[in-house]
Amino acid sequence: MSEHVLTAIRDLLPVLRERAQAAEDARVVPAESIKELREAGFFRLLQPARFGGHEADPVTFYTAVRLISSACGSTGWVASVLGAHAWHVATFPAAAQEELWGCDPAALVSSAYAPVGRATAVDGGYRLSGTWNFSSGVDHAAAAVLGALIMGEDGRPADWVAFLVPREDYTVRDVWRTVGLRGTGSNDVVVEDAFVPAHRALSFADSFRCACPGQEVNPGPLYRIPLYSLMTTTIATPLVGMATGAYEAHVAHQRQRVRVFAGEKVKDDPFAKVRVARAASEVDAAWLQLTRNITEIYDTARRGESIPTALRLRLRRDQVRASERCIAAVDQLFENSGAGALAEGTLIQRFWRDAHAARVHVANDPEAALKLFGDGEFGEDVTVGML
């Protein structure tokens, strides 16, 4: 079934590529694209089988994300995050999953994980308030996973929790006006003193330990992958796809391009060939390391073993290095594309802008993750960070 999904995604690429400008102009992925991705089965890849999902190998999911992102960066970004949230919801208590998918198994979920919200415990649950930025794909979602601190009686944070909040309990502020990833519609989510039942709360500490209530009803190995191992790969993979799309657009353009002053065909320039070789190698290296690490984590979960910290650290190391490699590749290609690449509507300039927008996501920030890897190598106790 998963291979059928990939085949359907490949068939969609031409139309997604054609809609890339429309997504950018509207500042949201077209509803038609989301509908077609649904029909292709993409959003089912990481969803539990008991709700009609595929519980697919995560590499299959990321392969689809890379393909989509190679056609349209914004569509790939939104597809990746909305698709990955099916996995996260599967780790919530069973009652929360039933509320979301019981009536509509195709319901999608956006997110904003930063702990900017504040919650207080009340009878049966929590009262939640806050304003969250950057909820990509929120216009297509029936609910949102929002990060918040539960405040204790002493006024200090007692826990960092992900709350699953239905669409009727929040408003969306249209604020997304950017130079890159314009089509992601990553708008603000505002909650004003909403009641959230206890079963729609999941501690990030439980996710870190890979000990979540959802595993009781979804016992498969897919749901024993660490939250951040999956989510940071979810943020890096669209960047690999954008670099792939930029590479394909650059090579196609350069095959036909003639330098006006020199009167030479760019495809005959030996240095142009060296540049594409370097760029191709960077993108390949990024993808090979991403897929190697997530495969090893998934295989470890399938053996019923806990995921060692050293493997989580290696995944994060290579994930942020993937972001660096892809930016280096896109920059090198763009620099060698000529002034014609600056025109609005050209593929290379959109991929260049989208890739740089993807790079500034906190999960793609190299220094913090690389420092954590160094801590692990030197024997420090690593218990914080996106692991």
Side-chain angles (χ1 to χ4, degrees):
M1 180 60 71
S2 296
E3 285 303 317
H4 293 317
V5 174
L6 291 179
T7 298
I9 293 299
R10 291 187 179 96
D11 290 342
L12 278 178
L13 296 185
V15 71
L16 296 179
R17 193 174 292 112
E18 289 177 6
R19 289 187 190 135
Q21 188 61 50
E24 181 159 279
D25 293 342
R27 297 181 296 110
V28 64
V29 173
E32 298 90 340
S33 296
I34 298 297
K35 178 177 180 290
E36 289 161 355
L37 289 172
R38 270 195 172 107
E39 292 171 346
F42 169 79
F43 293 114
R44 299 285 196 175
L45 286 173
L46 300 186
Q47 188 179 28
R50 66 196 190 94
F51 291 107
H54 301 317
E55 292 191 25
D57 185 317
V59 171
T60 300
F61 174 75
Y62 293 123
T63 299
V65 169
R66 183 185 181 186
L67 287 168
I68 298 165
S69 303
S70 73
C72 173
S74 288
T75 303
W77 182 273
V78 168
S80 191
V81 297
L82 294 182
H85 292 147
W87 176 92
H88 196 187
V89 171
T91 66
F92 273 71
Q97 299 176 48
E98 290 290 346
E99 286 179 350
L100 178 69
W101 288 322
C103 295
D104 183 10
L108 301 177
V109 179
S110 67
S111 76
Y113 286 150
V116 297
R118 295 295 180 267
T120 55
V122 295
D123 187 26
Y126 305 89
R127 305 299 305 191
L128 174 68
S129 295
T131 298
W132 291 261
N133 308 124
F134 314 128
S135 189
S136 299
V138 66
D139 289 310
H140 304 293
V145 176
L146 304 174
L149 298 177
I150 295 177
M151 308 307 292
E153 294 182 359
D154 59 359
R156 303 179 65 180
D159 197 4
W160 177 19
V161 170
F163 289 104
L164 182 61
V165 182
R167 180 65 183 83
E168 58 266 25
D169 287 346
Y170 60 83
T171 58
V172 177
R173 289 181 182 169
D174 184 2
V175 298
W176 188 247
R177 291 169 175 80
T178 58
V179 298
L181 290 179
R182 290 173 58 86
T184 62
S186 302
N187 288 304
D188 290 357
V189 171
V190 182
V191 176
E192 296 180 357
D193 193 34
F195 173 71
V196 184
H199 63 264
R200 287 202 240 121
L202 178 61
S203 173
F204 278 95
D206 290 343
S207 294
F208 185 90
R209 295 185 298 110
C210 297
C212 299
Q215 293 166 347
E216 296 177 7
V217 290
N218 300 315
L222 178 63
Y223 305 110
R224 294 198 301 275
I225 294 174
L227 170 68
Y228 283 124
S229 295
L230 188 123
M231 287 301 175
T232 57
T233 307
T234 294
I235 294 302
T237 300
L239 186 47
V240 179
M242 295 170 211
T244 302
Y247 180 84
E248 293 170 348
H250 175 81
V251 170
H253 175 63
Q254 297 297 73
R255 283 174 177 166
Q256 307 300 324
R257 182 181 163 216
V258 176
R259 291 195 175 101
V260 177
F261 282 101
E264 65 177 357
K265 296 180 179 179
V266 174
K267 70 181 185 67
D268 295 329
D269 178 0
F271 300 109
K273 296 173 182 177
V274 170
R275 293 185 186 102
V276 297
R278 291 186 184 279
S281 179
E282 292 296 319
V283 177
D284 280 354
W287 180 241
L288 289 170
Q289 286 191 309
L290 283 179
T291 53
R292 175 196 67 166
N293 291 331
I294 202 69
T295 294
E296 189 167 335
I297 282 181
Y298 185 49
D299 287 346
T300 302
R302 287 198 293 187
R303 293 194 299 269
E305 302 172 7
S306 62
I307 314 301
T309 299
L311 181 52
R312 298 187 192 200
L313 286 168
R314 193 184 78 192
L315 179 142
R316 284 286 282 133
R317 178 200 71 188
D318 294 341
Q319 176 253 315
V320 296
R321 287 290 294 126
S323 73
E324 289 185 316
R325 287 189 171 100
C326 289
I327 288 297
V330 171
D331 282 350
Q332 190 166 58
L333 296 170
F334 186 65
E335 290 166 4
N336 196 46
S337 291
L342 297 172
E344 290 184 356
T346 60
L347 297 178
I348 188 70
Q349 59 81 27
R350 184 185 301 116
F351 281 122
W352 184 83
R353 288 185 290 107
D354 287 349
H356 278 272
R359 163 59 186 83
V360 300
H361 191 286
V362 62
N364 285 333
D365 183 29
E367 284 78 13
L370 296 179
K371 189 265 184 186
L372 282 178
F373 181 84
D375 286 342
E377 290 296 284
F378 290 138
E380 301 289 338
D381 186 20
V382 182
T383 57
V384 297
M386 293 184 180
L387 296 180

